[in-house]
Amino acid sequence: MAEEEQHKDNSVKNFIELVKKSRRGKLKIYIGMSAGVGKTYRMLQEAHALQRNGIGIQVGYIETHNRSETHALVDGLPVIARRKTFYKGKELEEMDLQAILNRHPEVVIVDELAHTNIEGSKNSKRWQDVLDILEAGISVITAVNIQHLESLNEDVEQITGIAITERIPDKILDLADEVVNIDLTADELVDRLREGKIYEKAKIERALQNFFQSDKILQLRELALKEVAHHVERKIDIEVPKQIKLRPEKFLACISSNAETARIVIRKTARLASYYRSPWIVLYVQSSSESLDRIKLDKQRHLINNLKLATELGAEVVRLKSDAITQTIMKVAEEKEVTTICIGKPHLNLWQVILKTAIFKELLNKIAATETDLVILS
């Protein structure tokens, strides 16, 4: 009888989740390779088109960056006043989340998705505000640059030489009903910069020397195009019926207390899981040589931070204690029905290679027997 009641409870919970999903607002994200490609301009153009078609749309937050052609498009659109607040002796403006929820338009425009809110706001990040707005049944049109995507953070820093501190988790793009790339060639973007359509004149030369170089723009453009292509592929996988049922992908990222390698493995596995729209797991097997009383405090801190990063990127984190590392990895892979195991490129000297060959061979043999793929991430 108790089992029957439990089944009824689960059935009700599942139905409630379905109802919530149907009431949730739709999310459209305009994505671009950099500032100045025209994301805000396109959002405002769409706002006017929706308004002409009788859709109740309002501007929750827009950042025109004093671009005259963009600023002109705000005219004629209802704008929700920003919330003014004092922070460290200065009057600052933020998007007024509560005013948007109270006014409850059909659609709201929210620019600068990766923005960090002023201390004391309900949410620390604007993307969290957007989730609240969607949950209230309001649809959102928003914009973000590709460099703000969490799993691309290190790739972008390597391309541009600039550390990106404001980031959004990949799950936001996964939640989006539509992702649209605003694309320009490198030459077109540089021309826009020279014409003063992106930054004021005083900043143009500096921008040309730093961020706005053709090789950097091309690499960022490639990242943006790939991201949107993968989003389309994921939508096809979900919405187009399959004639043949394929084995669903599931990734297992194996990390150690080596902070740098672990971070690379986590980020790259997050990308793979994102491309395949599949669940993934981060596994840390603590051997007796890595027990808390044997590894340094800074290593422990880095390990905790890496496991936290994995959680933020959407992984299931598994921590186990064992000296039989290969067997533990394979046991978890079998229990979790993993299709691909991801490990870091080992940084080993010759003696370590000789000593660890047997373990690696054992891992390969076990993987071959279970039709599991192995990916070594450099």
Side-chain angles (χ1 to χ4, degrees), residues 140-322:
V140 176
I141 300 172
T142 188
V144 72
N145 289 328
I146 191 68
Q147 59 261 39
H148 295 292
L149 198 59
E150 177 65 62
S151 67
L152 289 176
N153 182 246
E154 289 183 359
D155 291 340
V156 170
E157 189 172 336
Q158 199 170 355
I159 293 166
T160 64
I162 298 166
I164 308 296
T165 54
E166 292 188 323
R167 304 193 288 271
I168 65 165
D170 293 48
K171 68 179 180 183
I172 301 300
L173 257 63
D174 293 342
L175 283 173
D177 300 281
E178 260 188 281
V179 177
V180 180
N181 183 40
I182 305 298
D183 188 38
L184 289 178
T185 66
D187 288 344
E188 285 171 329
L189 187 61
V190 170
D191 285 346
R192 282 181 58 79
L193 178 67
R194 289 187 189 280
E195 290 163 9
K197 292 181 176 179
I198 300 175
Y199 298 134
E200 57 194 42
K201 286 183 180 178
K203 294 182 180 178
I204 291 173
E205 275 310 312
R206 190 178 172 189
L208 285 168
Q209 296 299 319
N210 296 311
F211 192 89
F212 285 80
Q213 294 176 18
S214 288
D215 60 330
K216 293 177 182 178
I217 294 168
L218 284 169
Q219 290 177 80
L220 292 172
R221 187 186 184 197
E222 183 186 18
L223 289 178
L225 289 167
K226 278 182 177 177
E227 188 57 46
V228 176
H230 286 303
H231 178 80
V232 172
E233 287 170 9
R234 290 195 294 263
K235 278 186 77 71
I236 289 169
D237 284 343
I238 292 166
E239 295 175 15
V240 177
K242 283 189 174 71
Q243 300 305 317
I244 302 166
K245 186 173 172 64
L246 297 173
R247 182 176 67 150
E249 291 289 344
K250 196 170 192 181
F251 293 88
L252 176 66
C254 301
I255 67 165
S256 69
S257 59
N258 183 314
E260 191 179 336
T261 304
R263 195 163 57 248
I264 290 166
V265 170
I266 288 166
R267 287 190 189 278
K268 289 194 174 183
T269 308
R271 293 295 297 163
L272 285 168
S274 174
Y275 290 161
Y276 285 94
R277 202 180 179 87
S278 63
W280 61 295
I281 300 152
V282 169
L283 171 64
Y284 168 60
V285 181
Q286 185 188 80
S287 63
S288 53
S289 62
E290 287 199 336
S291 59
L292 295 181
D293 57 343
R294 291 193 181 186
I295 63 171
K296 292 178 181 177
L297 282 172
D298 61 333
K299 267 200 168 188
Q300 291 181 37
R301 188 172 66 253
H302 288 312
L303 176 64
I304 290 164
N305 287 339
N306 281 331
L307 294 174
K308 185 183 174 189
L309 172 66
T311 304
E312 287 172 354
L313 288 171
E316 175 192 345
V317 172
V318 177
R319 294 182 66 167
L320 297 171
K321 291 182 180 180
S322 174

Side-chain angles (χ1 to χ4, degrees), residues 19-29 95 97 100-101 104-110 113 123 126-142 171-178:
V19 169
K20 278 183 180 176
K21 280 179 185 175
S22 67
R23 287 177 181 170
R24 179 182 165 273
K26 300 294 182 186
L27 176 60
K28 183 171 186 174
I29 300 176
M95 182 179 80
L97 173 62
I100 293 169
L101 297 175
H104 209 283
E106 286 180 75
V107 184
V108 68
I109 300 283
V110 176
L113 183 61
N123 298 310
R126 186 165 289 158
W127 63 262
Q128 294 169 322
D129 292 340
V130 165
L131 292 183
D132 285 350
I133 294 166
L134 293 170
E135 285 299 315
I138 302 165
S139 293
V140 176
I141 300 172
T142 188
K171 68 179 180 183
I172 301 300
L173 257 63
D174 293 342
L175 283 173
D177 300 281
E178 260 188 281

